[in-house]
DNA sequence: GGGTAATCGAGACGGTACGTCTTGTCTTAGG
DNA sequence: CCTAAGACAAGACGTACCGTCTCGATTACCC
């Protein structure tokens, strides 16, 4: 006697968006750990069952809410200069991570992903990958314009760029700042080996 | 009539270590968020009051437990070839993170640090910084041997090297593997800009 | 814009009888209080709205179901000996109350009557009174044959006879048995006052 | 791993009596079916768990509350005239059953006993039997004074007396009134058979 | 015999209460 | 006094039903 999954066609869009909005608001106001499904439901004017029908856990609601809040807005700029475009985009990621709006919620989602398998799956799928793909598309463009070596693995390049940001974010070592971003991009493009080779244009590795 | 603080002289060492051990086990098994004081007490064969008497919060118990468990940082190898030394060290970090024992524990700490300020402070101080310093010492040695540019910020270099590993670890995008490690080190040293002339030694950027 | 009442002509007979059958089954199996409209609907393979369209409450469904199920009252036997006829009839009532089928159903109705005004009205009217009347007719016959005092209130006599059975049935003190029935009838006819001279026919008040 | 039953020695008397009082009040005010454990707990200023710890169900709380409310007060009067003493006691039972204070709650408990095995056991044990025993003691006294035949089964006599009251109470046929009580007692003592024997003192079987 | 209106099965919806679990405080008994 | 054990008030958990509502998809009546 298998439990039928609910029929998405009958789903109420009004309820869905009210829930996501309520989830984000409450998460922001009292922190993720003190966010309860009861409160999300009350805040959205919705029965608890409506949440349990469509999401498996509090975390799942919050990831989805977070994803909608960040927006699909992450399309990369393309000014022709890949280094500057990356820095600009990384600065906006940094602002989002550090800002009071989404930062704390994003932290909480990362925390939840460490023990909740459902979120461990949703976080990369829903939030990380689409933005990684956007970054890879920009890098691919740069490669075709000769700003990037032909043979690099773009997945690793993305990790080289954003990994340092997340390193600070999750390990609480330093705040992410423009200086870190500048150096990360410049080091990654120019390399750490003593310059036996010409980097071409911008060897400005100081400060 | 002020509440007298408990007298440390009368404290039961047996209870203390049973609590720390139980906290660690449960944190590892079900994640930090699902770790409850009730369960720690039950697992330690101890009354809840004994925990509340000596620690202010669940987080405080867990940091103390972790601090005792992880032990001190190991020194970097120095074979003369900084790239290979880094790869070796990163592989051993990768093995630890991926292993079932320390990996799960470390996930729990990272998760806890995202919401508990006590752990947010203890994690970089006690755990991360000593290891970063060891790495920086090795890099400094490399710099003096001419394997590293003079002007780079070593903190950022450490983040460039380990950030990609943590990126995979906390965001659950891919498993950390040797290939990633190889590429990270090589890209970071050689740079991503197209090589106008070969760096001489190891241009082996394929595979 | 008044809500049109449903049109009885279009009513599905299949649904109606499936609902009544399901209501009776569930009422019998888990008791009236734990009978839910949800379960009746599911058991009948019917939408909940179909029940709410035609009945105002759970109680209404159950009375209607019971009314169809119990059938009409049977006539009393008349062997000429009113005591024996009463005992015989009371034994058959006792068997019905004690039996798993009607007993459980009847328990459910009695329970329902204590809280649902609809059933509180229907139970005496539809179920009790016809049977009381049959009993009273037999007692009237006995009176005319000189087996019963002229001046007794037959309603009270019926209660004297059947009250003890229901006392055991609803209060769960003892099981109804032949011994109780025999004694009830004999005590009622012979009286409890010490016999100053024997009644002639059946003074057999022992065992 | 057997669940330890709670230790009665540690039980809070304050909580216990607040719960029973709250249960009775709410039961009276909104009816048994609409009485919820949630409301009882709130009304008593008590956690729900404290109710669930000591009672298995809502019904059990209400039976106990009812029992305390009725009071042990049921000792029988002994004026020397057993008929009058019985009538007096039956009138007070009738007043309790019919009264707005306990009548509705008692109905609900009887209803619950029809489907809840726990209440089916508690109702006779806790409430009925102590009062039946008191009645039997009075009847035994009457027997020793020669007001009652030697050979009657007192359990059946009690049922003969109270059965008719409960018959009206649970089947909703008539209201219990003084006339019924008078007739029940008189019929039971004098017997229904035409008077071939002298009843001694009071053959007043009219009206 | 085709249009249309109401019933049907199904089930999502906003709610209330359920019975369980955990929290942090308070109380009891024993060493 | 400190310990373990655990009752306590509070309140969130995830589930079950409530009674209402909205869906297509059959009916069954009326033109």
């Amino acid at each position: 006697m298998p439990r039928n999954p609910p029929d998405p066609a009958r789903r109420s869009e009004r309820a869905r968006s009210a829930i996501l909005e309520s989830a984000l608001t409450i998460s922001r106001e009292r922190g993720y750990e003190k966010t309860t499904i009861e409160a999300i439901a009350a805040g959205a004017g919705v029965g608890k069952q409506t949440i349990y029908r469509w999401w498996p856990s509090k975390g799942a609601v919050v990831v989805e809410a977070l994803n909608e809040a960040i927006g699909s807005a992450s399309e990369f700029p393309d000014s022709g200069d890949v280094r500057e475009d990356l820095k600009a985009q990384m600065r906006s990621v940094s602002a989002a991570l550090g800002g009071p709006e989404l930062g704390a919620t994003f932290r909480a989602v990362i925390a939840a992903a460490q023990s909740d398998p459902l979120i461990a799956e949703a976080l990369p799928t829903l939030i990380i990958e689409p933005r990684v793909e956007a970054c890879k598309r920009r890098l691919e463009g740069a490669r075709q314009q000769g700003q990037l070596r032909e043979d690099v693995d773009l997945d690793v390049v993305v990790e080289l760029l954003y990994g340092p940001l997340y390193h600070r974010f999750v390990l609480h070592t330093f705040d992410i700042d423009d200086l870190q971003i500048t150096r990360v991009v410049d080091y990654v493009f120019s390399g750490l080996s003593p310059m036996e080779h010409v980097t071409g244009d911008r060897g400005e590795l100081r400060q």
Side-chain angles (χ1 to χ4, degrees), chain A residues 36-180:
Chain A
T36 66
I37 297 225
E38 207 116 57
I40 294 174
V46 138
K48 283 197 289 175
Q49 194 59 55
T50 303
I51 298 182
Y52 286 111
R53 190 167 9 248
W54 301 108
W55 289 275
S57 67
K58 174 179 78 167
V61 181
V62 176
V63 200
E64 190 168 331
L66 189 61
N67 188 42
E68 302 236 328
I70 301 175
S72 57
S74 292
E75 207 48 45
F76 260 67
D78 189 346
S79 67
D81 181 342
V82 70
R83 289 195 189 188
E84 284 313 312
D85 291 351
L86 285 170
K87 287 174 188 171
Q89 188 67 12
M90 284 163 76
R91 271 184 221 112
S92 97
V93 167
S94 143
L97 292 183
E101 290 289 283
L102 301 175
T105 303
F106 199 13
R107 257 188 222 297
V109 169
I110 288 178
Q114 305 314 310
S115 63
D116 183 333
L118 251 142
I119 301 188
E121 196 196 331
L123 170 62
T125 307
L126 212 59
I127 297 187
I128 304 304
E129 275 163 26
R131 292 164 179 86
V132 164
E133 288 307 313
C135 183
K136 283 166 69 181
R137 280 194 296 277
R138 180 66 188 84
L139 290 169
E140 186 54 45
R143 173 146 63 187
Q144 284 166 13
Q145 293 172 337
Q147 299 180 3
L148 200 63
R149 286 164 58 161
E150 290 287 336
D151 55 359
V152 290
D153 177 343
L154 293 186
D155 279 315
V156 172
V157 173
V158 172
E159 288 164 349
L160 271 176
L161 294 166
Y162 290 95
L165 271 55
Y166 283 103
H167 192 274
R168 293 192 174 189
F169 186 62
V170 303
L171 300 181
H172 294 81
T173 46
F174 305 99
D175 287 338
I176 305 169
D177 57 21
D178 280 7
L179 186 52
Q180 186 202 20

